[in-house]
Amino acid sequence: MKNRWLADFLSLFYPNYCYACGRKMPKSSRCICPECELHLPRTDYPFRSPNPMEQLFWGRVQVEAAAAYLHFRKGGSVQSIVHALKYGDRPEIGRYFGRLLGEALCAHAVFSQAEALVPIPLHPKKQRVRGYNQSEEIAEGMREAMGLPVWSRVLLRTVATDTQTKRSVYQRWENVQTVFRVASPSEVEGRHLILVDDVVTTGATLEAAAQTLKSVPGVRVSMAALAVDTL
Ligand SMILES: [Zn+2]
């Protein structure tokens, strides 16, 4: 946001705070303190197939592979991290954890064969307010670890249309939540793409995005998220 320069300026004089536990941390630490880093609730999903995130999409959309780096729990450290990433004007958190996620997926038999990273787009209005798309920041971190390009203009979130005014409030909400389109189908035809999201709860957004991409001939989709809320 507009005050980022101020935050950067102040950080020269004020100590770093850990986004997970809120305590002061050494200047050399980035985003989270060594203690929190050590105790991050990492999943073993990149090393397990089928894993609970893949199972979440069974019968909904066919994907090559799916994995998340962290377990999401309400009130837990990952919720604090995600909150700062989405609402705290801290895009560098996305880069940081995106790199860790990418490192975990580098050696994966399926993910390592993919050709590009496609972040879930934000609604344009939301992105204007926030100043960045957190999923794109995660994808940029993954790019650094995996060497894959980030295609952030391939998938677009459609803007509400006139026909929606005739629908019920619930249908309208659902529509806004789940409608995507592919900007240039010829660019993605026949490709294996990794959809990148921040937190997966019901999986409705990833499911809709994957179905949209897979409507293009020959497209295969894998899914990677920073965190997942599964049991
Ligand atoms: Zn901490």
Side-chain angles (χ1 to χ4, degrees), residues 152-172:
S152 52
R153 279 164 196 82
V154 152
L155 191 65
L156 304 175
R157 212 177 260 260
T158 58
V159 180
T161 59
D162 288 345
T163 56
Q164 282 186 21
T165 57
K166 295 184 186 106
R167 296 179 190 160
S168 73
V169 170
Y170 172 73
Q171 282 173 323
R172 208 152 55 212

Side-chain angles (χ1 to χ4, degrees), residues 18-23 25 31-37:
C18 170
Y19 290 120
C21 69
R23 285 182 297 202
M25 62 179 188
C31 298
I32 58 170
C33 69
E35 176 85 4
C36 285
E37 163 108 51

Side-chain angles (χ1 to χ4, degrees), residues 8-217:
D8 287 345
F9 181 73
L10 288 174
S11 71
L12 294 173
F13 304 99
Y14 288 87
N16 255 343
Y17 289 95
C18 170
Y19 290 120
C21 69
R23 285 182 297 202
K24 276 186 200 174
M25 62 179 188
K27 287 236 187 249
S28 56
S29 294
R30 290 191 57 203
C31 298
I32 58 170
C33 69
E35 176 85 4
C36 285
E37 163 108 51
L38 189 67
H39 294 109
L40 278 174
R42 294 176 177 86
T43 71
D44 62 353
Y45 297 175
F47 315 103
R48 179 146 71 100
S49 189
N51 65 53
M53 184 157 149
E54 290 172 347
Q55 288 165 328
L56 184 66
F57 293 97
W58 282 1
R60 296 166 72 182
V61 62
Q62 192 264 324
V63 295
E64 306 303 308
Y69 185 64
L70 300 169
H71 289 289
F72 184 91
R73 293 280 178 276
K74 281 211 166 69
S77 63
V78 177
Q79 187 178 25
S80 307
I81 290 165
V82 170
H83 194 270
L85 168 62
K86 287 174 81 167
Y87 309 111
D89 196 21
R90 287 292 167 210
E92 70 272 19
I93 297 173
R95 296 263 178 146
Y96 178 83
F97 283 100
R99 211 156 35 236
L100 296 176
L101 172 61
E103 282 166 10
L105 298 179
C106 259
H108 189 282
V110 178
F111 281 103
S112 61
Q113 302 295 315
E115 294 163 276
L117 300 155
V118 177
I120 293 285
L122 271 187
H123 194 280
K125 264 188 199 162
K126 243 186 202 174
Q127 182 152 352
R128 266 198 301 279
V129 172
R130 195 168 295 174
Y132 59 93
N133 172 0
Q134 69 277 4
S135 296
E136 196 174 333
E137 298 299 323
I138 295 166
E140 286 294 336
M142 292 174 72
R143 177 182 61 77
E144 289 170 25
M146 302 179 81
L148 292 175
V150 177
W151 290 355
S152 52
R153 279 164 196 82
V154 152
L155 191 65
L156 304 175
R157 212 177 260 260
T158 58
V159 180
T161 59
D162 288 345
T163 56
Q164 282 186 21
T165 57
K166 295 184 186 106
R167 296 179 190 160
S168 73
V169 170
Y170 172 73
Q171 282 173 323
R172 208 152 55 212
W173 176 83
E174 195 175 42
N175 209 31
V176 168
Q177 289 296 307
T178 57
V179 175
F180 297 98
R181 73 181 174 86
V182 179
S184 42
S186 59
E187 276 179 51
V188 297
E189 201 176 316
R191 304 283 194 170
H192 177 191
L193 307 168
I194 302 177
L195 266 173
V196 180
D197 202 359
D198 49 8
V199 180
V200 181
T201 47
T202 65
T205 308
L206 272 176
E207 179 188 351
Q211 272 166 352
T212 304
L213 285 175
K214 284 167 68 76
S215 68
V216 179

